[in-house]
Structure formats: structure tokens, C-alpha cells
């Protein structure tokens, strides 16, 4: 055997199966004239390598540097191998048992190589809307079981033609083992149907869809993770009709534009937002609107932002080729129901909304909504983590036992753990209707199956009436169960994604969460670690007159805070925004609070924002949770440095009074100060006040790490303000980036609390 020959055994862990990793290794080895073998194993990929030492070392370097786009390497373990004098490099076929634990890639955007073929006349996949390869296309949404092989996907109904099969079997081909591989001869196709679900004669359904959209039609378009409802975004009439028919009066619609050049016609794209838009996950990115604006006003009313995405399936590219400034692409559902995925289901559920249906015959096994991100306070913030990101794990600092966490109620997600990986599900929705409940159950069993996890512990929120809690208690009787307090889960979720352990000062700010004392929390400073927490400070509780009704009608919160500040005899007519309100209705609400009828108390910061919004006349009623608070943020003058003076007693637990703030706001209002300045001053006050409270808690405890979590941190002014202020006072500040700060991230925190509790 020649000198200078080296042999290494290499184990690569992470997302390395079903993403073209073995052919990549094969080609890398061949280029360096190395011999050996690559195989899928239970841990990932195993490589045996022999050859000249320079070549072997170069191989190791390139292995991580040039890994395929869909792969995600978490660990490479290298050990000395035995030289057995092999003469070629081969791909070993994988053993079924080794493939059970493989990580499945999320669904990602069509790659550049496929796009090029899509638009090359003469290519055998020219204008074929299902073009894909090992580096792109559907994954998670078409898998029914593991291992990730064609018979376990919705591609099982399509038998590959000879040409496709040859690509599939050739390790040198970009489509080697690409499970959804297809072509016009053997794969799925698109069809155009009318509003009754009847197939329409069409030689080119995509071209016909384009002309229908241009005439103002609403078309339900089947995509990757479900149906979209599409309309030409510049046509006022079409967009308004879509709003009315979808029964979504005010929430902004997402839009899709052909490329960055098209986006800049209607929205600002900051340099840090470009890579988000063009990333292979292709999320909806919140971008600031341009004024004046070519898009219909009804796309995103009363909002400074548009939710914008670039096309991510070949079908989207073909639709957008045709001169649209942008298309509205909103999820194919009636307001708040789960998105439709099945053709027949879409025909029946969307018939009142859509004029036409552009469908296809590749089934979607699991729905996955578009993800939503924004760039604020120096980092990417996930508002909804779904398509493109799920089921990619969050890597944990610790090894967790198998846990199922059931999340909260709004923006529901679930979480499963396996060793140092936490799998947060896609966005399920608000768990307050039967169809979402069914989707919740389906997601749990689907994830358990494809991740091969049998949880020993099931965790749920402390709230006894959440549907997720009741499900955990009723459907999961055999497993050990555990309740985790909502805000504790928020803070630990933030700790988990930042991979920190031990004690932190947790700022848990949101709309609603069940406290251990039976009251509703939401403006809390906790001293927390992974196992326990202590309530160090909170907003002075006020009544929530009418319970849920007070969330839908912020004017009730206005009355609550005004009464707390000035007493029940306060003349509400002094507040201009309350003038048009029915005095009788207001009287009833005040009496309800006095007598404690249907008036649970809350320390929620989200509700304080609602109350202030109503006092300022920004919003008296809302269509979705957080709408008033969002509107208050939109009008705020961010340059305001003034604050309201708000004294509190430094005695743990600190009760932070709201009365001085409300008094100050009413005074400014009487003096004629404009709302945008009052809003700015209110934001600045919240930041200043809680920061000072944190300093006191830090002095008491010696803890100088702060973790920020809860839906209120979707407010960019607060997030940025708190990060700046706390950092200025020497805190190490931890915020959410990979996981939503809202209740979509709760399940991760729950899982970690359970894991840490069991471990100790
Ligand atoms: Zn591709
Ligand atoms: Zn084919
Ligand atoms: Fe919450």
C-alpha cells in the first residue's frame, strides 16, 4: 500500500437524509479521487474514506462548507479508519431501520436550477408546474409516514416514467432519490374548475387563470401547504369582494410579487429584508408600505405594513410571469378556520368565496400555512413559524426525554422532543372551533408518526378550560401529565431558543394567561428558571368587565382603567372618544365591575394597551386579538422622550399602579395633545417603568439576565425600546428570533419545563 494514504470514518448528524447528501458526498469523493462508501444510518450519514491525505483533508473541509442547501449539519465526528484498499467510491443502499430516525426537511422554494429548466423552451419540463429536485420542492406536507420514500408520500399515485426513473437512480443526477420527481408525462397536473367544482375545458389552465384574475376574479389556488385565495392586488373591487366573502374585514392580506423589482413598486425593502424574502423558506415578510401606493387600499387597511412574499412553487412563478404588480395570496379558509388542502374540501368550503379553482392532483397530507417574519431590533423575528421551517428542530442545550407539549389556545402549536431536538409544529390556528381541534389532533399524531416519538409526558397549560388542556387530560390518560403556567412557559421558550440555563428575570407581557391564583396574568416580571418561577412584579390588576367581551371591546377596558384611576363617579363624557358610546351600556359595565359580576381581574399589559387605545379613540372594538394595541403602535410618535411619572413601592412582589399613567393620559388629552404624541409617551413610559422595576429585581436577586417573551413583544417599539434600555443598564438581554414571542412559542417552553423537571 502506498505511503501518504489515509483512512477516516466520518459520521455526519443533522438533516442529512432526503436532501441529496449521499450524492453530494459521492461527487466530492470522486473529485478528490477518494475511495470508500457512504451510507444512511440511524444517526445520519456514515462515510468511510480512503485516499491521499491531502485529498482526505480537503474532503473534510468541503463536507461542511459545500453541503447541499436543504441539509443542516449539527455535528461531524471523525475517527481514524482502517485502510482496506478499496478502489472505488460507492453509495450503499440504506437499511430500513436506519431511516426511521432521519430528520425530514421542510418544504422549500423551487431552486434556481429547476427554475432555469422551467423557463427553457425545449426542456422536457418546460412550464411544468411540478418541477423539483433533491434541492427543492415539497417534503413535509406530502409525507404520511417514515422512512421518507416515495410510497410513503402523496407521490405514490404517480409511477415514474423511464426518463424520470433514470434520473432518480443516477447518483450523478440532481434528481437522485428526489422522491417527488415527476414530469409532464408521468406526474401531477393542474386543472381549472368553476365555482361549482366542475372541471372547465382548458388547454392551458394557468394561462386561463391569469386572464380570469385580470378580469377581477377570485381564484382558489392549490399550493404547497394548502389553498390560497388569489386576486389581482391592484383591483379594488376584487380585493374588497374577497374581504367580504372571506368574512375577514380588517386583518391585512398577504401579497405575492414576481421579484424584488416588483416589490419595490409598492413597499420599501431594507437591505436586511432582502435575504429574508429570497431565502428558500420564502416566508411572508412584513415590509413598510410606500406612499402613494399602487395596490388596492383594502389589501392592508390602517396598517403601515404589507405582508409580502416571493413565489415559491413553480406554479406561482408561472402565474406571476404575466405582469401582475402583485397578487393577493391569502390563506384559503373562512376567517380563522384551518386552511383547505383537499380538492373536494376546497370546493365545498370555499364555494362562497372563490369564483374559480386552480387545482392539481398531488395530495397535500398535512396543511402548512405561510410563515410570517419581520426584521426588528437587529434580528429576524418569527411571527408565525410554519411552512419552510417545520419540521426543522430547535436544537436544545440539554437532552430531553420524549415530551409532547400541547401549547396554549390562540395561535396554537404543539411541540415534541427527542434528545437535544425540539420539534415545534406548524401553525395550527386558534383552538376555538371544531375544525381547528381536528387539525390539532391530526398534527399531533402525524408528528408522532413521522418523528417516531412516543411521548412519556404530556404537558399542557394551567388554564383548565383551554381545549388543548382538556384534550391532554382526556385523550392522554396513559401518559404522565403536567401543567405549566403560561408565562413561565413563555420565558422558558425564550431561554430554550437562546440555549441558556439557570435563572433569568423574565418579562412576560401578553394579552391573557391563567395565573396560579386563578386571575388573568399578562404584565408580569418573573424570576424564572427551567423548573420554577416566582412572581416578582406585576401590573396592578383591574377588572375585565364581561370577560371575553372586554377583549373584543376595548372601550370596556377604557372604563375599567378610568374607574381604577378616578373612581366609579368619573364623568366618562369628559373623554371625547367615549362620547358616542351609549351611556346606558357604560353604566351597566361600571355596575358590573362594582359588583364583581363577570369581572375577573387581570394584570395584562395587552389589555392596558387596549384601554389606552380606546381612551385615545384609536379603536373601540376589534376584529382580532391585539388589533387595538397594534393600532396604538402604528400611530405612536417614536421620537417622544417624555414619560408619565409612575411611582411604585419597591417591595417584592412589586405592584405597578396604572392609575398615574391613566391620569397623565387624560390630562394630556384635555390639554389637546395629539394622539400620536400621547401614544409615543405611553410607549416610553411602559419601557422606562418596567426597566426600573427590573433594576430593582436585579438588585434583590443578583440576576442580570433578562428574557423577553409574550405577544406584546410583537410591538416593535417596545421590543427595541426594552432591548436598548435594559442593555444600557447592563443587562444581558435575550429575545425571540427562531420561535414566535406570541403563544405560537408556548409549546417549546412547556416542553422544556417538563424535561427539566423530570431530569431533576
Ligand atoms: Zn430544484
Ligand atoms: Zn416522468
Ligand atoms: Fe401568551
Amino acid at each position: 500500500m502506498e505511503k501518504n494514504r489515509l483512512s477516516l470514518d466520518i459520521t455526519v448528524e443533522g438533516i442529512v437524509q432526503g436532501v441529496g447528501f449521499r450524492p453530494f458526498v459521492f461527487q466530492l469523493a470522486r473529485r478528490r479521487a477518494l475511495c470508500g462508501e457512504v451510507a444512511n444510518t440511524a444517526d445520519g450519514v456514515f462515510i468511510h474514506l480512503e485516499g491521499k491525505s491531502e485529498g482526505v483533508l480537503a474532503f473534510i473541509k468541503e463536507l461542511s462548507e459545500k453541503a447541499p442547501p436543504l441539509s443542516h449539519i449539527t455535528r461531524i465526528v471523525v475517527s481514524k479508519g482502517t485502510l482496506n484498499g478499496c478502489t472505488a467510491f460507492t453509495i450503499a443502499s440504506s437499511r430500513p431501520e436506519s431511516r426511521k430516525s432521519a430528520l425530514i426537511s421542510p418544504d422549500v422554494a423551487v431552486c434556481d436550477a429547476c427554475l432555469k429548466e422551467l423557463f427553457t423552451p425545449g426542456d422536457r419540463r418546460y412550464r411544468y408546474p411540478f418541477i423539483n429536485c433533491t434541492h427543492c420542492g415539497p417534503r413535509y406536507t406530502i409525507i404520511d409516514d417514515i422512512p421518507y420514500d416515495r410510497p410513503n408520500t402523496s407521490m405514490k399515485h404517480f409511477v415514474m416514467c423511464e426518463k424520470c426513473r433514470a434520473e432518480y437512480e443516477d447518483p450523478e443526477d440532481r434528481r437522485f432519490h428526489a422522491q417527488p420527481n415527476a414530469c409532464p408525462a408521468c406526474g401531477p397536473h393542474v386543472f381549472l374548475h368553476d365555482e361549482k367544482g366542475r372541471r372547465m375545458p382548458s388547454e392551458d389552465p394557468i394561462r386561463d387563470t391569469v386572464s380570469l384574475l385580470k378580469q377581477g376574479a377570485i381564484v382558489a389556488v392549490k399550493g404547497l401547504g394548502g389553498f390560497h385565495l388569489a386576486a389581482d392586488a391592484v383591483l379594488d373591487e376584487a380585493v374588497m369582494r374577497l374581504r367580504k366573502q372571506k368574512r375577514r374585514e380588517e386583518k391585512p392580506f398577504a401579497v405575492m410579487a414576481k421579484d424584488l423589482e416588483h416589490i419595490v413598486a409598492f413597499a420599501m425593502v431594507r437591505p436586511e429584508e432582502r435575504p429574508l424574502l429570497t431565502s428558500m423558506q420564502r416566508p411572508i415578510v412584513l415590509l413598510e408600505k410606500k406612499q402613494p401606493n399602487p395596490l388596492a387600499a383594502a389589501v392592508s387597511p390602517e396598517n403601515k405594513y404589507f405582508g409580502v412574499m416571493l413565489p415559491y412553487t413553480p406554479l406561482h412563478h408561472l402565474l406571476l410571469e404575466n405582469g401582475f404588480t402583485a397578487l393577493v395570496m391569502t390563506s384559503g379558509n373562512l376567517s380563522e378556520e384551518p386552511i383547505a388542502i383537499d380538492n373536494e374540501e376546497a370546493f365545498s368550503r370555499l364555494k362562497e368565496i372563490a369564483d374559480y379553482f386552480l387545482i392539481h392532483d398531488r395530495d397535500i397530507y398535512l396543511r402548512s400555512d405561510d410563515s410570517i417574519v419581520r426584521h426588528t431590533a437587529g434580528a429576524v423575528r418569527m411571527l408565525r413559524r410554519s411552512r419552510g421551517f417545520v419540521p426543522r428542530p430547535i436544537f436544545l442545550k440539554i437532552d430531553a426525554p420524549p415530551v409532547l407539549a400541547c401549547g396554549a389556545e390562540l395561535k396554537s402549536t404543539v411541540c415534541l422532543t427527542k434528545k437535544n431536538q425540539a420539534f415545534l409544529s406548524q401553525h395550527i390556528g386558534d383552538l376555538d372551533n371544531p375544525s381547528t381541534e381536528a387539525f390539532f389532533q391530526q398534527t399531533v399524531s402525524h408528528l408522532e408518526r413521522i418523528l417516531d416519538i412516543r411521548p412519556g409526558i404530556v404537558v399542557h397549560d394551567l388554564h383548565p378550560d383551554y381545549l388543548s388542556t382538556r384534550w391532554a387530560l382526556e385523550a392522554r390518560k396513559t401518559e404522565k401529565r403536567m401543567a405549566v403556567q403560561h408565562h413561565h412557559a413563555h420565558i422558558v421558550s425564550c431561554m430554550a431558543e437562546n440555549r441558556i440555563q439557570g435563572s433569568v428575570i423574565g418579562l412576560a407581557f401578553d394579552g391573557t394567561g391563567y395565573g396560579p391564583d386563578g386571575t388573568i396574568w399578562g404584565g408580569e416580571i418573573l424570576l424564572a428558571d427551567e423548573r420554577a418561577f416566582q412572581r416578582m412584579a406585576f401590573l396592578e390588576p383591574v377588572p375585565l368587565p364581561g370577560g371575553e367581551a372586554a377583549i373584543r371591546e376595548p372601550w370596556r377596558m377604557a372604563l375599567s382603567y378610568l374607574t381604577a384611576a378616578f373612581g366609579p363617579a368619573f364623568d366618562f363624557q369628559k373623554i371625547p372618544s367615549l362620547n358616542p358610546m351609549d351611556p346606558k351600556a357604560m353604566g351597566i359595565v361600571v355596575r358590573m365591575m362594582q359588583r364583581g359580576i363577570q369581572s375577573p381581574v387581570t394584570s395584562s399589559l395587552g389589555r392596558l394597551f387596549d384601554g389606552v387605545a380606546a381612551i385615545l379613540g384609536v379603536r373601540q372594538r376589534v376584529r382580532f386579538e391585539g388589533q387595538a394595541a397594534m393600532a396604538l403602535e402604528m400611530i405612536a410618535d417614536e421620537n417622544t422622550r417624555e414619560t408619565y411619572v409612575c411611582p411604585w413601592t419597591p417591595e417584592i412582589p412589586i405592584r405597578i399602579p396604572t392609575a398615574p399613567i391613566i391620569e397623565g393620559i387624560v390630562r394630556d388629552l384635555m390639554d389637546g395633545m395629539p394622539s400620536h404624541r400621547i401614544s409615543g409617551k405611553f410607549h416610553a413610559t411602559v419601557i422606562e417603568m418596567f426597566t426600573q422595576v427590573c433594576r430593582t429585581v436585579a438588585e434583590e436577586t443578583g440576576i442580570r439576565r433578562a428574557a423577553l417573551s409574550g405577544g406584546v413583544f410583537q410591538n416593535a417599539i417596545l421590543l427595541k425600546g426594552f432591548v436598548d434600555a435594559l442593555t444600557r443598564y447592563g443587562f444581558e438581554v435575550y429575545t425571540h428570533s427562531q420561535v414566535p414571542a406570541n403563544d405560537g412559542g408556548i409549546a417549546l417552553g412547556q416542553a422544556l419545563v417538563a424535561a427539566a423537571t423530570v431530569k431533576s
Side-chain angles (χ1 to χ4, degrees), residues 54-220:
E54 311 89 78
V56 172
L57 297 175
F59 175 96
I60 296 282
K61 196 160 168 283
E62 288 177 338
L63 187 64
S64 51
E65 280 174 4
K66 295 186 177 164
L70 289 193
S71 67
H72 178 75
I73 299 174
T74 55
R75 204 153 78 116
I76 300 181
V77 184
V78 182
S79 63
K80 207 164 178 324
T82 328
L83 283 167
N84 52 27
C86 56
T87 54
F89 196 91
T90 53
I91 295 182
S93 60
S94 41
R95 293 170 296 272
E97 74 279 5
S98 71
R99 311 191 48 194
K100 274 242 150 188
S101 59
L103 292 178
I104 290 154
S105 155
D107 307 277
V108 295
V110 55
C111 73
D112 288 343
C114 285
L115 263 188
K116 190 157 175 252
E117 292 170 353
L118 182 69
F119 289 112
T120 303
D123 189 279
R124 70 187 194 92
R125 294 189 181 84
Y126 177 57
R127 301 189 71 82
Y128 179 56
F130 300 93
I131 190 168
N132 69 82
C133 72
T134 357
H135 306 312
C136 73
R139 294 287 185 281
Y140 177 61
T141 52
I142 59 163
I143 294 171
D144 193 35
D145 203 352
I146 47 170
Y148 174 54
D149 274 333
R150 192 150 167 137
N152 284 330
T153 72
S154 63
M155 287 302 291
K156 67 182 171 206
H157 306 295
F158 303 95
V159 180
M160 272 186 274
C161 67
E162 255 174 60
K163 283 181 180 160
C164 286
R165 161 104 10 225
E167 294 166 338
Y168 183 89
E169 285 169 357
D170 177 5
E172 306 246 31
D173 196 280
R174 207 173 82 240
R175 297 193 166 92
F176 177 70
H177 282 202
Q179 305 303 347
N181 190 25
C183 78
C186 66
H189 287 277
V190 290
F191 308 94
L192 187 60
H193 285 237
D194 67 11
E195 88 280 8
K196 296 235 158 56
R198 292 172 301 211
R199 181 167 300 177
M200 294 165 68
S202 171
E203 282 198 358
D204 187 342
I206 296 175
R207 193 197 55 208
D208 291 345
T209 300
V210 167
S211 51
L212 289 168
L213 286 167
K214 293 204 163 159
Q215 291 160 34
I218 296 168
V219 185

Side-chain angles (χ1 to χ4, degrees), residues 255-271:
V255 296
M256 185 181 273
K258 183 177 174 243
D259 49 30
L260 288 169
E261 287 66 49
H262 279 73
I263 295 177
V264 296
F266 58 87
M268 323 259 224
V269 183
R270 293 179 292 158

Side-chain angles (χ1 to χ4, degrees), residues 486 490 510 512 743 746:
H486 191 93
H490 266 307
D510 65 1
T512 304
D743 285 4
I746 282 275

Side-chain angles (χ1 to χ4, degrees), residues 224-541:
L224 201 53
F227 274 83
H228 279 121
L229 288 159
D232 189 337
V234 299
L235 302 179
D236 291 284
E237 204 260 358
V239 179
M240 304 230 287
R241 201 159 58 85
L242 177 55
R243 270 207 184 280
K244 204 164 136 252
Q245 282 160 209
K246 194 176 143 84
R247 290 186 227 148
R248 174 154 161 162
E249 278 88 354
E250 285 159 21
K251 251 189 194 176
F253 282 147
V255 296
M256 185 181 273
K258 183 177 174 243
D259 49 30
L260 288 169
E261 287 66 49
H262 279 73
I263 295 177
V264 296
F266 58 87
M268 323 259 224
V269 183
R270 293 179 292 158
E272 61 271 29
E273 288 158 345
R274 277 171 180 261
L276 296 178
L277 287 161
T278 57
S279 68
M280 64 183 176
Q281 290 85 6
R282 293 284 159 105
I284 295 171
V285 184
L286 298 194
L287 302 176
E288 208 171 313
K289 275 183 192 172
K290 275 192 176 161
Q291 291 304 350
N293 205 282
L295 301 193
V299 170
S300 177
E302 287 179 47
N303 204 303
K304 273 205 274 194
Y305 302 93
F306 281 128
V308 187
M309 59 186 150
L310 288 173
Y312 53 88
T313 68
L315 179 60
H316 296 152
H317 283 277
L318 293 169
L319 282 174
L320 284 155
E321 252 332 77
N322 299 282
F324 293 108
T325 305
L327 286 177
V328 166
M329 288 291 254
T330 184
S331 41
N333 53 7
L334 260 179
S335 203
E336 308 312 318
E337 283 181 4
I339 178 170
I341 55 173
D342 189 69
N343 294 340
E344 293 302 323
E345 177 202 2
F347 294 149
S348 78
R349 279 177 52 200
L350 304 180
K351 63 172 183 266
E352 311 286 334
I353 314 175
D355 306 318
Y356 300 94
F357 293 83
L358 182 61
I359 63 158
H360 59 70
D361 51 0
R362 184 179 71 197
D363 290 339
I364 299 170
Y365 282 155
L366 205 67
R367 52 172 65 75
S368 196
D369 287 77
D370 294 317
S371 294
I372 309 176
V373 303
R374 77 191 294 188
H375 200 288
T376 10
V380 183
R381 312 293 172 179
M382 196 71 69
L383 300 179
R384 182 203 282 166
R385 186 178 182 275
S386 216
R387 176 191 49 77
F389 298 94
V390 176
R392 192 178 182 150
I394 313 289
F395 290 94
L396 306 172
K397 185 89 183 260
I398 59 160
D399 270 356
V403 174
L404 165 65
C406 301
E409 178 158 82
L410 299 180
K411 301 182 169 73
S412 159
T413 63
V414 299
C415 182
L416 281 154
T417 54
K418 187 183 211 174
K419 293 187 187 152
N420 69 336
Q421 298 161 354
F423 299 91
L424 199 59
S425 77
Q426 73 272 40
H427 170 79
I428 296 170
D430 296 347
L431 278 181
D432 50 7
N433 66 70
S435 51
T436 324
E437 188 183 359
F439 180 30
F440 172 89
Q441 295 187 25
Q442 190 197 1
T443 303
V444 171
S445 50
H446 186 263
L447 274 176
E448 284 177 341
R449 192 163 64 242
I450 66 161
L451 297 170
D452 197 27
I453 297 176
R454 268 168 293 278
I457 310 162
V458 175
V459 208
H460 55 84
D461 196 276
L462 200 58
H463 199 305
D465 295 330
Y466 278 176
L467 223 140
S468 54
T469 303
R470 278 188 272 140
W471 181 84
L473 295 177
E474 283 156 28
R476 292 303 186 124
K477 287 207 173 84
T478 51
E479 289 93 346
K480 206 174 139 189
R481 281 156 309 175
M482 186 178 162
V484 173
Q485 200 278 326
H486 191 93
H487 301 96
H488 186 208
H490 266 307
I491 297 305
V492 177
S493 165
C494 179
M495 293 170 65
E497 76 154 285
N498 284 290
R499 299 163 64 84
I500 57 167
Q501 292 178 287
S503 296
V504 297
I505 295 174
L507 289 74
F509 298 158
D510 65 1
T512 304
Y514 192 82
D517 58 359
T519 71
I520 301 163
W521 289 15
E524 320 295 315
I525 306 271
L526 307 179
L527 177 65
D529 62 26
E530 308 89 312
R531 278 175 291 275
F533 71 94
Q534 194 190 335
R535 195 187 196 193
M536 304 302 275
F538 54 96
L539 277 179
E540 183 68 52

Side-chain angles (χ1 to χ4, degrees), residues 540 561 564-566 643-648 656-667 685 689:
E540 183 68 52
Y561 289 108
F566 300 105
T643 54
Y644 296 107
V645 180
C646 187
W648 40 273
I656 306 164
T658 56
I661 305 177
I662 300 296
E663 285 163 17
I665 288 173
V666 170
R667 209 179 310 120
T685 305
M689 180 175 79

